[in-house]
Amino acid sequence: METAGASSLLGKHVVLGVTGGIAAYKAVEVVSRLRKKGAHVHVIMTRGAQNFVTELTFREMSDEPVITDMWAKVTHYHVEHIALAKLADVVLVAPATANFLAKAACGMADDMLMTTLLATKAPIFVAPAMNTAMYENAMTQENLERLRAHGFHVVEPASGQLACGTSGAGRLPEPIELVAVLEQFFESKRDLVGRKVLVTAGGTHEPLDPVRYLGNRSTGKMGFAVAEAAAQRGADVVLVAGPVGLETPAGVRRVDVLTAQEMHDAVLAEYATADAVIKAAAVADYRPKERAGQKIKKKDGSLLLELVRNPDILKELGEKKQQQVLVGFAAETERVIEYAAGKLEKKNLDFIVANDVSRKDAGFSADTNCVTILGRDGTHTEHPLMSKRALADIILDRVAGALPKG
Ligand code: PMT
């Protein structure tokens, strides 16, 4: 008998999506094993799945209501179709059919499982199970690639005799393996417990007068994704945020600032005790020399503004660096790697994340990013287009690896 106390799944809310494949029967054992580990399991069945296993089986095994219909009257979960999306610590779809993968890759929301996937911020695992030819089909592989790029974790299918009589890749891994994948995920991703991570996000506003400012297009999405990921990995996170319209991620201490000078002061106040700093903010390099007390009135001819330099916060952090792992971003529109490498050196950083901000799907305001991470150790890794949240974990993997042990 396994004991719940030792498992990283203890107390976790696992949303288990079951889609319509013959391997749906194995999902029953997944529920049982997850519960033995101390997890709460909430099952969502697609219409297809109900042809293979009954709702009653999952209800009895999970001891929770089972969702089979987006339009049914909700009796247990508070409000609506996104309650489970919010509750979930992790979502596992097992088995995941080719049809499900195709719909997920397109971001469809035509049933409760698809809606939950789109609405959740929890990590999502999919375990494909299907006939080998369907699995190897280029379209299925492209769908899986797209899902990976959006941060989905794909559990590779096992090879062997399949229900359709053929043999090859496409078998759902055994329930014990699926549960182990989730357990390991929660174990490895608590690697920042006891560490203080300081993150900056958003742009700065440099006032010209009471109603106007110089600013930039940063929305804060990149920095907020890093803060959220660090908090989920157990760090004590301080997020110094410029003026952005985003909700504070759970477990994060947020300090709001407006100008580069305010960001400088807030960051320096937290720096000495930080283990890692990730500077995703787009800080204005200049500010108007004078800030008019009243709204500037228009006159004939041109208006000349004199700008003065703002502090380079990251450079100062580099000069004062002690135990901290320092990560900067480089927002470039040309010679991306060359300029980023210069900043890595000049600002005394451990890593720099170079993004080409001339792309529409990367850099400012997009939900996705496509970067090259340059390391002080000479490493140079390219990361394809993916969600900012998925990229946040990749950056934090590098940070965790560079932190002094203990
Ligand atoms: O917020 P989003 O809409 O999600 O967009 C994300 C982003 C494009 C803003 C982000 O991915 C990014 O590239 N952030 C850095 C933007 C930037 O200011 O880059 P830079 O190359 O000008 O600066 C290099 C580094 O020095 C940055 O880490 C910056 O925070 C820091 N810096 C810059 C100027 C300054 N005065 N002080 C600084 O600390």
Side-chain angles (χ1 to χ4, degrees):
M1 175 82 183
E2 287 153 293
T3 53
S7 175
S8 60
L9 287 166
L10 178 66
K12 293 280 186 307
H13 289 273
V14 180
V15 170
L16 177 64
V18 185
T19 70
I22 184 70
Y25 76 92
K26 285 191 184 174
V28 178
E29 191 185 332
V30 173
V31 176
S32 158
R33 287 188 174 276
L34 285 169
R35 289 202 64 204
K36 282 183 187 150
K37 297 281 184 187
H40 308 281
V41 188
H42 311 273
V43 177
I44 304 178
M45 302 177 77
T46 62
R47 280 228 326 255
Q50 293 164 53
N51 293 315
F52 293 94
V53 188
T54 67
E55 175 215 346
L56 180 65
T57 310
F58 282 116
R59 192 167 9 115
E60 290 299 314
M61 293 305 289
S62 65
D63 201 25
E64 295 282 353
V66 171
I67 297 186
T68 53
D69 179 1
M70 183 152 67
W71 311 111
K73 187 165 180 285
V74 178
T75 52
H76 183 84
Y77 298 110
H78 303 293
V79 208
E80 88 275 33
H81 54 291
I82 57 158
L84 275 186
K86 283 189 180 158
L87 185 67
D89 292 302
V90 65
V91 179
L92 167 66
V93 182
T97 60
N99 182 52
F100 160 81
L101 296 172
K103 289 201 301 181
C106 293
M108 286 179 67
D110 64 344
D111 65 15
M112 191 56 126
L113 180 57
M114 308 308 305
T115 307
T116 304
L117 290 189
L118 273 189
T120 194
K121 291 209 154 78
I124 301 171
F125 287 74
V126 293
M130 65 199 74
N131 159 277
T132 306
M134 289 170 78
Y135 176 67
E136 288 175 350
N137 187 294
M139 280 187 285
T140 303
Q141 290 302 317
E142 278 166 24
N143 290 333
L144 285 169
E145 220 26 71
R146 188 167 156 80
L147 290 173
R148 284 192 189 94
H150 283 278
F152 283 56
H153 303 264
V154 177
V155 185
E156 297 301 326
S159 290
Q161 194 67 32
L162 299 173
C164 55
T166 58
S167 180
R171 271 170 67 103
L172 185 70
E174 293 308 312
I176 194 167
E177 293 167 46
L178 292 172
V179 171
V181 166
L182 297 191
E183 202 167 26
Q184 279 160 19
F185 174 78
F186 283 113
E187 275 163 21
S188 67
K189 291 301 174 187
R190 298 293 293 173
D191 53 1
L192 294 176
V193 172
R195 307 290 195 168
K196 176 173 167 184
V197 175
L198 176 57
V199 183
T200 68
T204 60
H205 285 185
E206 309 299 328
L208 282 165
D209 68 15
V211 296
R212 303 185 182 95
Y213 59 83
L214 299 180
N216 61 62
R217 293 195 294 113
S218 174
T219 58
K221 287 179 185 172
M222 189 65 245
F224 274 59
V226 173
E228 179 181 270
Q232 285 175 0
R233 292 166 75 146
D236 167 16
V237 183
V238 181
L239 172 62
V240 177
V244 297
L246 298 176
E247 263 181 50
T248 311
V252 166
R253 179 156 63 88
R254 173 170 173 176
V255 181
D256 284 314
V257 296
L258 191 66
T259 63
Q261 186 61 51
E262 285 175 23
M263 184 171 280
H264 168 274
D265 297 349
V267 167
L268 267 290
E270 300 287 346
Y271 186 50
T273 50
D275 294 291
V277 183
I278 296 132
K279 280 213 84 266
V283 187
D285 287 317
Y286 296 90
R287 67 175 182 277
K289 186 174 182 195
E290 305 292 345
R291 176 184 179 167
Q294 304 299 329
K295 187 179 166 201
I296 299 170
K297 304 305 284 179
K298 68 172 172 288
K299 297 187 189 128
D300 288 340
S302 27
L303 171 70
L304 287 181
L305 290 174
E306 189 179 349
L307 302 179
V308 293
R309 282 294 300 268
N310 270 329
D312 187 327
I313 307 168
L314 191 54
K315 187 158 175 285
E316 192 173 333
L317 299 185
E319 285 157 8
K320 297 192 163 125
K321 184 166 160 11
Q322 305 247 319
Q323 78 285 357
Q324 299 90 347
V325 174
L326 263 193
V327 183
F329 273 72
E332 310 293 350
T333 52
E334 57 170 347
R335 295 155 72 183
V336 178
I337 303 301
E338 183 190 328
Y339 288 149
K343 288 175 184 172
L344 176 76
E345 188 66 31
K346 198 168 121 206
K347 303 196 186 198
N348 191 21
L349 309 178
D350 294 281
F351 301 106
I352 193 151
V353 183
N355 40 199
D356 178 350
V357 293
S358 62
R359 288 176 60 141
K360 278 208 164 57
D361 53 3
F364 290 102
S365 81
D367 290 325
T368 47
N369 210 348
C370 167
V371 305
T372 302
I373 301 181
L374 308 181
R376 196 51 181 268
D377 51 5
T379 51
H380 180 135
T381 38
E382 288 178 15
H383 298 279
L385 193 70
M386 66 179 78
S387 68
K388 285 183 172 170
R389 180 62 185 76
L391 176 61
D393 265 319
I394 289 175
I395 295 167
L396 291 174
D397 288 343
R398 300 293 293 266
V399 168
L403 284 167
K405 301 283 168 266

